[in-house]
Amino acid sequence: MRLPTFNFSRSVAFAVMASVACSSTASAQTTALSGDEIYVRALATWSAQPTPAVLSYRVDAKLTHKGHVREERERIVLRTADRTAIVAKLAVEGDGTERIARVAFERPRFDPDATFRLVARSRDDIDESAAPGSLRTITHVVARVKRYAVELVGEGTYRDRPVYELKLTPLFDPRINSVRAMFVDTQSFVTWRVSSETPYAVGPAHGTFMLDAQFAPVGNAWLISRITTAGAFHLGPFAYGGDGDVEYRIIDTKADVPAYCFERAGYARHADCAARAGFVA
């Protein structure tokens, strides 16, 4: 069966198939790869990694605005199929111990399995049970490449791993296609780091939101371990801005939390929800 026709060279499509089917062969051919080929291999590797059905994790955030620092601590259980979550807001007592201040049912600020629209996370879009080298996965990945012009800046190291540094320039809508850089492992083609920049403008107000995400392996999944942010907002002569540093600690990728616990009424009605979510011992 042939790949559908895209506006890419045949070598790029072949590179995807080769990299997913045989990583050892791919790593031996990395010396002459272009930015586009590295990018496609990175997306193919990313899309082939599973998404846990339920993620239980902790978030420690430090937000800075005009010299004032605010810290937030949360325990979150996220159902990845529909992005619903149970969020336990944590408070710190005088002796340093933590307690649950309240439980909310809201969308997390950043999901640890976020892919910045580089790879779909919808189970309807990608058959995650299929083999990594399946035609469906490959064509889905290749179809997304046209969103950016990709340039290989060079090679370096990240967390003692050799990486390619890619520069991404959006071909349209920079607010949606916000990724500006990727750091891709030269041997496994996993993505260690993604940097994005999102411009926005509403009437006379305008600004830029910058984000840098670091990834780490958790079992078979590839999840965000840390995010740093910086934002600047301008309205006439007034300027506002702030920075953020958010650390993610994955607690469980196989949590057994019933569907009724993800609804406020169900959580309140069923006494077992707090324990199933890991909020109580």
Side-chain angles (χ1 to χ4, degrees), residues 94-141:
D95 61 358
T97 60
E98 294 179 337
R99 62 176 177 83
I100 295 178
R102 64 184 178 91
V103 176
F105 300 83
E106 59 190 33
R107 178 70 186 266
R109 188 178 288 111
F110 298 110
D111 300 334
D113 65 334
T115 66
F116 304 92
R117 294 187 175 90
L118 294 172
V119 175
R121 278 304 188 208
S122 169
R123 296 176 187 274
D124 295 330
D125 291 341
I126 292 182
D127 181 3
E128 295 177 355
S129 65
S134 69
L135 180 66
R136 183 177 180 183
T137 298
I138 292 171
T139 54
H140 178 87
V141 170

Coordinates of all heavy atoms in Angstrom, one line a residue, residues 94-141:
G94 N 1.0 25.7 59.5 CA 2.1 26.4 60.1 C 3.3 25.5 60.4 O 4.5 25.9 60.4
D95 N 3.0 24.2 60.6 CA 4.1 23.2 60.9 C 4.6 22.6 59.6 O 5.5 21.7 59.6 CB 3.6 22.1 61.8 CG 2.4 21.3 61.3 OD1 2.0 21.7 60.1 OD2 2.0 20.4 61.9
G96 N 4.1 23.1 58.4 CA 4.7 22.6 57.2 C 3.9 21.5 56.6 O 4.1 21.1 55.4
T97 N 2.9 20.9 57.3 CA 2.1 19.8 56.7 C 1.1 20.4 55.8 O 0.7 21.6 55.9 CB 1.4 19.0 57.9 OG1 0.5 20.0 58.6 CG2 2.4 18.4 58.8
E98 N 0.6 19.5 54.9 CA -0.4 20.0 53.9 C -1.7 19.4 54.2 O -1.9 18.3 54.8 CB 0.1 19.5 52.5 CG 1.3 20.1 52.0 CD 1.7 19.6 50.6 OE1 1.3 18.5 50.2 OE2 2.5 20.3 49.9
R99 N -2.8 20.1 53.8 CA -4.1 19.7 53.9 C -4.9 20.1 52.6 O -4.4 21.0 51.9 CB -4.8 20.2 55.1 CG -5.0 21.8 55.1 CD -5.8 22.3 56.2 NE -5.8 23.8 56.2 CZ -6.7 24.5 55.5 NH1 -7.6 23.8 54.7 NH2 -6.7 25.8 55.6
I100 N -6.0 19.4 52.3 CA -6.8 19.7 51.2 C -7.7 20.9 51.6 O -8.6 20.7 52.4 CB -7.6 18.5 50.7 CG1 -6.6 17.5 50.2 CG2 -8.5 18.9 49.6 CD1 -7.3 16.2 49.7
A101 N -7.5 22.0 50.9 CA -8.3 23.2 51.2 C -9.7 23.1 50.6 O -10.7 23.4 51.2 CB -7.6 24.5 50.8
R102 N -9.7 22.6 49.4 CA -11.0 22.4 48.7 C -10.7 21.5 47.5 O -9.6 21.4 47.0 CB -11.6 23.7 48.2 CG -10.8 24.5 47.2 CD -11.5 25.9 46.9 NE -10.7 26.7 46.0 CZ -10.9 26.6 44.7 NH1 -11.8 25.8 44.2 NH2 -10.1 27.4 43.9
V103 N -11.8 20.9 46.9 CA -11.7 20.1 45.7 C -12.5 20.8 44.6 O -13.7 21.2 44.8 CB -12.3 18.7 46.0 CG1 -12.3 17.9 44.7 CG2 -11.4 18.0 47.0
A104 N -11.9 21.0 43.5 CA -12.5 21.7 42.4 C -12.6 20.7 41.2 O -12.0 19.7 41.1 CB -11.7 22.9 42.0
F105 N -13.5 21.1 40.2 CA -13.7 20.3 39.0 C -13.5 21.3 37.9 O -14.5 21.9 37.4 CB -15.1 19.6 39.0 CG -15.3 18.7 40.2 CD1 -15.7 19.2 41.4 CD2 -15.0 17.4 40.1 CE1 -15.8 18.4 42.5 CE2 -15.2 16.5 41.1 CZ -15.6 17.0 42.4
E106 N -12.3 21.4 37.5 CA -11.9 22.4 36.5 C -10.8 21.9 35.6 O -10.1 21.0 35.9 CB -11.4 23.7 37.2 CG -10.2 23.5 38.1 CD -9.9 24.7 39.0 OE1 -10.8 25.4 39.4 OE2 -8.7 24.9 39.2
R107 N -10.7 22.6 34.5 CA -9.6 22.2 33.5 C -8.3 22.6 34.1 O -8.1 23.8 34.4 CB -9.9 22.9 32.2 CG -8.8 22.6 31.1 CD -8.9 21.1 30.6 NE -7.8 20.9 29.7 CZ -7.9 21.0 28.4 NH1 -9.0 21.3 27.8 NH2 -6.8 20.7 27.6
P108 N -7.3 21.7 34.2 CA -6.0 22.1 34.6 C -5.4 23.2 33.7 O -5.7 23.3 32.5 CB -5.2 20.8 34.6 CG -6.2 19.7 34.6 CD -7.4 20.3 33.9
R109 N -4.5 24.0 34.3 CA -3.9 25.1 33.5 C -3.0 24.5 32.4 O -3.1 25.0 31.3 CB -3.0 25.9 34.5 CG -2.4 27.2 33.8 CD -1.6 28.0 34.8 NE -2.4 28.7 35.8 CZ -2.4 28.3 37.1 NH1 -1.7 27.4 37.5 NH2 -3.2 29.0 37.9
F110 N -2.2 23.5 32.7 CA -1.5 22.8 31.6 C -1.5 21.3 31.9 O -1.3 20.9 33.1 CB 0.0 23.2 31.6 CG 0.2 24.7 31.3 CD1 0.6 25.5 32.3 CD2 0.0 25.2 30.1 CE1 0.8 26.9 32.0 CE2 0.2 26.5 29.8 CZ 0.6 27.4 30.8
D111 N -1.8 20.5 30.9 CA -1.9 19.1 31.1 C -0.5 18.5 30.9 O 0.3 18.9 30.0 CB -2.8 18.4 30.0 CG -4.2 18.9 30.1 OD1 -4.6 19.3 31.2 OD2 -4.9 18.9 29.1
P112 N -0.1 17.5 31.7 CA 1.3 16.9 31.5 C 1.5 16.1 30.2 O 2.6 15.8 29.9 CB 1.4 16.0 32.8 CG 0.0 15.7 33.2 CD -0.8 16.9 32.8
D113 N 0.4 15.8 29.6 CA 0.5 15.1 28.3 C 0.3 16.0 27.1 O 0.0 15.5 26.0 CB -0.5 13.9 28.2 CG -1.9 14.3 28.3 OD1 -2.2 15.4 28.8 OD2 -2.8 13.5 27.7
A114 N 0.3 17.3 27.3 CA 0.1 18.3 26.2 C 1.2 18.1 25.2 O 2.4 17.8 25.4 CB 0.2 19.7 26.8
T115 N 0.8 18.3 23.9 CA 1.7 18.1 22.8 C 1.8 19.4 21.9 O 2.4 19.4 20.9 CB 1.3 16.9 21.9 OG1 0.0 17.2 21.3 CG2 1.2 15.7 22.7
F116 N 1.1 20.5 22.4 CA 1.2 21.8 21.7 C 0.7 21.7 20.2 O 1.2 22.3 19.4 CB 2.6 22.4 21.8 CG 3.1 22.5 23.2 CD1 3.8 21.5 23.8 CD2 2.8 23.6 23.9 CE1 4.3 21.6 25.1 CE2 3.2 23.8 25.2 CZ 3.9 22.7 25.8
R117 N -0.3 20.8 20.0 CA -0.9 20.6 18.7 C 0.1 20.0 17.7 O -0.3 19.9 16.5 CB -1.5 21.9 18.2 CG -2.7 22.4 19.0 CD -3.3 23.6 18.2 NE -4.5 24.1 18.9 CZ -4.5 25.0 19.9 NH1 -3.4 25.6 20.2 NH2 -5.6 25.4 20.4
L118 N 1.2 19.5 18.2 CA 2.1 18.8 17.3 C 1.7 17.4 17.0 O 1.8 16.9 15.9 CB 3.5 18.8 17.8 CG 4.2 20.2 18.0 CD1 5.5 20.0 18.8 CD2 4.5 20.8 16.7
V119 N 1.1 16.8 18.0 CA 0.6 15.4 17.9 C -0.8 15.4 18.5 O -1.1 16.0 19.5 CB 1.5 14.4 18.6 CG1 0.8 13.0 18.6 CG2 2.8 14.4 18.0
A120 N -1.8 14.8 17.8 CA -3.2 14.7 18.3 C -3.2 13.9 19.6 O -2.5 12.9 19.7 CB -4.1 14.2 17.3
R121 N -4.0 14.2 20.5 CA -4.2 13.4 21.7 C -5.6 12.8 21.7 O -6.0 12.1 22.7 CB -4.1 14.3 23.0 CG -2.6 14.5 23.4 CD -1.9 13.1 23.6 NE -0.6 13.3 24.1 CZ 0.4 12.4 23.9 NH1 0.2 11.4 23.1 NH2 1.5 12.6 24.5
S122 N -6.4 13.0 20.7 CA -7.8 12.5 20.6 C -7.7 11.0 20.2 O -7.0 10.6 19.2 CB -8.6 13.2 19.6 OG -9.8 12.5 19.4
R123 N -8.3 10.1 21.0 CA -8.3 8.7 20.6 C -9.1 8.4 19.3 O -8.9 7.4 18.7 CB -8.9 7.9 21.8 CG -8.1 8.0 23.1 CD -8.7 7.3 24.2 NE -8.0 7.6 25.4 CZ -6.9 6.9 25.8 NH1 -6.5 5.9 25.1 NH2 -6.3 7.2 27.0
D124 N -9.9 9.4 18.9 CA -10.6 9.2 17.6 C -9.7 9.5 16.5 O -9.9 9.0 15.4 CB -11.8 10.2 17.5 CG -12.8 9.8 18.6 OD1 -12.9 8.6 18.9 OD2 -13.5 10.7 19.0
D125 N -8.6 10.3 16.7 CA -7.7 10.6 15.6 C -6.6 9.6 15.4 O -6.1 9.4 14.3 CB -7.0 12.0 15.9 CG -8.0 13.1 15.8 OD1 -9.1 12.9 15.2 OD2 -7.8 14.2 16.3
I126 N -6.1 9.0 16.4 CA -5.0 8.0 16.3 C -5.4 6.7 17.0 O -5.9 6.7 18.2 CB -3.8 8.6 17.0 CG1 -3.2 9.8 16.2 CG2 -2.7 7.5 17.1 CD1 -1.9 10.4 16.7
D127 N -5.2 5.7 16.3 CA -5.5 4.3 16.9 C -4.3 3.9 17.7 O -3.3 3.4 17.2 CB -5.8 3.3 15.8 CG -6.1 1.9 16.3 OD1 -6.1 1.8 17.6 OD2 -6.2 1.0 15.5
E128 N -4.3 4.2 19.0 CA -3.1 4.0 19.8 C -2.8 2.5 20.0 O -1.8 2.1 20.5 CB -3.3 4.7 21.2 CG -3.4 6.2 21.0 CD -3.7 6.9 22.3 OE1 -3.9 6.2 23.3 OE2 -3.7 8.1 22.4
S129 N -3.8 1.6 19.7 CA -3.5 0.2 19.8 C -2.8 -0.4 18.6 O -2.3 -1.5 18.6 CB -4.8 -0.6 20.0 OG -5.6 -0.5 18.8
A130 N -2.7 0.5 17.5 CA -2.0 0.0 16.3 C -0.5 0.0 16.5 O 0.0 0.6 17.4 CB -2.4 0.9 15.1
A131 N 0.1 -0.8 15.6 CA 1.6 -0.8 15.7 C 2.2 0.6 15.3 O 1.6 1.3 14.6 CB 2.1 -1.8 14.7
P132 N 3.3 0.9 16.0 CA 3.9 2.2 15.7 C 4.2 2.5 14.3 O 4.1 3.7 13.8 CB 5.2 2.2 16.5 CG 4.9 1.2 17.6 CD 4.1 0.2 17.0
G133 N 4.4 1.5 13.5 CA 4.7 1.7 12.1 C 3.5 1.7 11.2 O 3.6 1.6 10.0
S134 N 2.3 1.7 11.8 CA 1.1 1.6 11.0 C 0.9 2.8 10.0 O 1.3 3.9 10.3 CB -0.2 1.5 11.9 OG -0.4 2.7 12.5
L135 N 0.3 2.5 8.9 CA 0.1 3.5 7.9 C -0.8 4.7 8.4 O -0.5 5.8 8.1 CB -0.7 2.9 6.6 CG -1.0 3.9 5.5 CD1 0.3 4.4 4.9 CD2 -1.8 3.2 4.5
R136 N -1.7 4.4 9.3 CA -2.6 5.4 9.8 C -1.8 6.4 10.7 O -2.0 7.6 10.6 CB -3.7 4.7 10.7 CG -4.7 5.7 11.3 CD -5.8 5.0 12.0 NE -6.8 5.9 12.6 CZ -7.8 5.6 13.3 NH1 -8.0 4.3 13.6 NH2 -8.6 6.4 13.8
T137 N -0.9 5.9 11.5 CA -0.1 6.8 12.3 C 0.8 7.6 11.5 O 1.0 8.8 11.7 CB 0.7 5.9 13.4 OG1 -0.2 5.2 14.2 CG2 1.6 6.8 14.2
I138 N 1.5 7.0 10.5 CA 2.5 7.7 9.7 C 1.8 8.8 8.9 O 2.3 9.9 8.9 CB 3.2 6.7 8.8 CG1 4.1 5.7 9.6 CG2 4.0 7.4 7.7 CD1 4.6 4.6 8.8
T139 N 0.7 8.5 8.2 CA 0.1 9.5 7.4 C -0.5 10.6 8.3 O -0.5 11.8 7.8 CB -1.1 8.9 6.6 OG1 -2.0 8.2 7.4 CG2 -0.5 7.9 5.5
H140 N -0.9 10.3 9.5 CA -1.4 11.4 10.3 C -0.3 12.3 10.7 O -0.5 13.5 10.7 CB -2.0 10.8 11.6 CG -2.5 11.8 12.6 ND1 -3.8 12.3 12.5 CD2 -1.9 12.4 13.6 CE1 -3.9 13.2 13.5 NE2 -2.8 13.3 14.2
V141 N 0.9 11.8 11.0 CA 2.0 12.6 11.4 C 2.5 13.4 10.2 O 2.7 14.6 10.3 CB 3.2 11.7 11.9 CG1 4.4 12.5 12.0 CG2 2.8 11.1 13.2

